[in-house]
């Protein structure tokens, strides 16, 4: 299928971070989203008690679904995640969280990318 790439800059919470987001349209209508982040500040420096980064898909209705934990390497300050979504229009969010079981994105948003397919 078609592949789109997005260059993503960090938010004010982590202005030094960047990411590459690749979206590939699969047979059957799903989209494979690959996020590769660099220069990401460790979560415990973003806020006290934060231990992980979580990747969310927020639809135009404002509903945010937690997709997976970012595979974060603190020594290299890199993170990677691969998700599959049927959504064609969504915002990919990466937020710091105190636990991987969080049900809503925290205010500690480090990366955000609007995707329109």
């Amino acid at each position: 299928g078609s592949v789109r790439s997005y260059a993503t800059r960090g938010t004010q919470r982590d202005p030094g971070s960047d990411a590459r987001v690749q979206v590939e349209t699969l047979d059957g209508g799903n989209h494979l989203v690959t996020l590769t982040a660099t220069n990401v500040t460790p979560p415990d420096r973003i806020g006290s008690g934060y231990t992980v980064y979580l990747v969310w898909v927020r639809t135009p209705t404002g509903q945010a679904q937690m997709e997976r934990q970012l595979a974060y390497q603190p020594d290299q300050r890199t993170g990677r995640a691969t998700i599959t979504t049927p959504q064609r229009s969504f915002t990919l969010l990466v937020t710091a969280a105190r636990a991987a079981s969080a049900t809503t994105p925290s205010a500690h948003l480090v990366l955000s990318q609007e995707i329109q397919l």
Side-chain angles (χ1 to χ4, degrees), residues 56-59 61-66 93 103-105:
W56 309 79
V57 165
R58 189 173 63 208
T59 62
T61 61
Q63 290 264 304
Q65 169 80 34
M66 204 276 279
L93 308 173
T103 54
T104 54

Side-chain angles (χ1 to χ4, degrees), residues 1 4 16 31 46 56 58 69-71 73 84 86-88 110:
R4 293 189 192 203
H31 308 286
I46 296 285
W56 309 79
R58 189 173 63 208
Q69 186 174 326
L70 187 72
Q73 305 286 335
T84 306
Q87 302 293 334
R88 296 179 56 80
V110 293

Side-chain angles (χ1 to χ4, degrees), residues 2-59:
S2 65
V3 176
R4 293 189 192 203
S5 276
Y6 300 84
T8 308
R9 301 295 321 196
T11 65
Q12 291 170 327
R13 296 246 183 223
D14 196 12
S17 67
D18 356 46
R20 200 163 53 85
V21 178
Q22 252 187 274
V23 184
E24 181 181 356
T25 302
L26 305 173
D27 292 343
N30 272 337
H31 308 286
L32 180 69
V33 182
T34 305
L35 168 73
T36 310
T38 51
N39 306 312
V40 181
T41 301
D44 58 355
R45 295 208 194 152
I46 296 285
S48 171
Y50 288 88
T51 59
V52 294
Y53 283 112
L54 300 180
V55 181
W56 309 79
V57 165
R58 189 173 63 208
T59 62

Side-chain angles (χ1 to χ4, degrees), residues 94-109:
V94 178
T95 63
R98 292 195 165 91
S101 56
T103 54
T104 54
S106 75
H108 295 281
L109 175 70

